[in-house]
């Protein structure tokens, strides 16, 4: 049995989750959660195990035997991340993925609910620069991190038609050789994400894309000063203020707002 204990404390919040797993050879990939835990934590454990297995060639059965949480310090995504790391440790896999991200609509909706009422203190962006220049807004955006008050930063990562959320810190500058460089820094005017810094999140909605109920394609974040639409479509970022752009609306379905607001 392998146990992974996730603990992190910052000046914003604390995180805690402890997960134990057993891994055995199998004819196919399987995940089972036998731990006694709340439904949302059992779901996170199952999805976290699948995330860990998604790029591995081995056919194994993962059994999540124990989940320990703290009502104060455990939030959406913590059990998910702890389970993924527990599986990697059990399989002795060197994890090459820079973050453990989730795109499950139920998890994203739960995260939105937990962020409602909080102020967006800061936004950090990773952008592509080439020969000292960058394309406007969505065209040069690579990743973004949202810093809500009293919460760890959440990174937004686009992957094809999926929007992946991850509790990770912004990376630093890195050189891309002849293809330019990535610069990481605060969102600045007139870029869209900078307009909502200092505003309070009052509601939010998950956007589903091509895969229907399977994954999140984007978010509508309703702030005191307007709605922010952010998502991924055909491996490109979609950023808008107000409503979903018509080009994306044909492929997306905005779900009900988590606090029952109206569009």
């Amino acid at each position: 049995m392998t146990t992974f204990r996730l603990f992190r404390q910052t000046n914003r919040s604390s995180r805690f989750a402890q997960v134990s797993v057993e891994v055995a050879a199998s004819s196919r990939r399987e995940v089972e959660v036998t731990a006694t835990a709340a439904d949302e934590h059992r779901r996170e454990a199952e999805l976290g195990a699948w995330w860990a297995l998604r790029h591995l060639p081995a056919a194994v059965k993962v059994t999540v035997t124990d989940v320990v949480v703290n009502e104060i310090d455990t939030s959406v995504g913590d059990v998910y991340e702890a389970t993924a790391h527990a599986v990697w440790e059990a399989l002795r896999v060197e994890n090459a993925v820079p973050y453990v991200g989730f795109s499950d609509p139920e998890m994203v909706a739960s995260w939105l609910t937990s962020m409602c009422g909080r102020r967006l203190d800061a936004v950090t962006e990773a952008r592509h620069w080439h020969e000292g220049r960058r394309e406007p807004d969505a065209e040069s955006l690579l990743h973004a991190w949202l810093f809500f008050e009293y919460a760890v930063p959440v990174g937004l990562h686009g992957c094809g038609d999926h929007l992946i959320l991850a509790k990770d810190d912004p990376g630093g500058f890195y050189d891309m050789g002849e293809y330019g460089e990535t610069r990481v820094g605060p969102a600045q005017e007139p870029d869209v994400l900078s307009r909502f810094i200092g505003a309070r999140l009052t509601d939010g909605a998950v956007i589903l894309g091509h895969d229907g109920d399977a994954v999140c394609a984007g978010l509508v974040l309703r702030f005191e000063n307007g709605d922010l639409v952010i998502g991924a479509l055909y491996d490109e970022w979609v950023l808008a203020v107000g409503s979903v752009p018509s080009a994306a609306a044909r492929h997306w379905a905005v779900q009900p707002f988590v606090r029952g607001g109206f569009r």
Side-chain angles (χ1 to χ4, degrees), residues 57-232:
V60 296
K61 178 178 180 179
V62 175
T63 303
V64 181
T65 59
D66 192 34
V67 174
V68 179
V69 300
N70 180 312
E71 290 185 4
I72 298 175
D73 297 330
T74 305
S75 58
V76 178
D78 293 344
V79 172
Y80 179 92
E81 182 175 345
T83 305
H85 282 289
V87 172
W88 283 324
E89 287 194 4
L91 294 173
R92 299 181 181 178
V93 172
E94 289 291 336
N95 177 28
V97 181
Y99 55 83
V100 178
F102 57 91
S103 192
D104 174 71
E106 289 186 25
M107 286 184 63
V108 176
S110 293
W111 173 78
L112 279 173
T113 301
S114 66
M115 291 300 106
C116 284
R118 303 189 191 213
R119 184 177 61 250
L120 182 63
D121 287 338
V123 177
T124 296
E125 299 175 332
R127 290 188 173 274
H128 175 247
W129 286 69
H130 188 258
E131 297 181 348
R133 301 177 61 186
R134 45 150 281 199
E135 297 296 327
D137 220 353
E139 296 177 45
S140 62
L141 184 66
L142 299 175
H143 309 282
W145 290 266
L146 306 181
F147 291 76
F148 284 99
E149 61 179 348
Y150 312 121
V152 297
V154 168
L156 304 181
H157 308 283
C159 182
D161 296 317
H162 302 170
L163 178 66
I164 298 175
L165 281 65
K167 292 185 173 182
D168 59 349
D169 291 309
F173 165 93
Y174 58 92
D175 192 347
M176 301 167 65
E178 62 180 300
Y179 300 105
E181 62 190 21
T182 295
R183 298 183 186 179
V184 179
Q188 299 181 1
E189 296 182 352
D191 293 331
V192 168
L193 293 176
S194 69
R195 304 184 193 183
F196 299 91
I197 297 173
R200 198 168 298 277
L201 185 71
T202 61
D203 210 340
V206 176
I207 299 173
L208 302 182
H210 297 299
D211 293 326
D213 295 337
V215 294
C216 168
L219 300 170
V220 180
L221 300 176
R222 175 154 291 169
F223 290 94
E224 298 167 309
N225 59 343
D227 288 4
L228 166 65
V229 177
I230 182 167

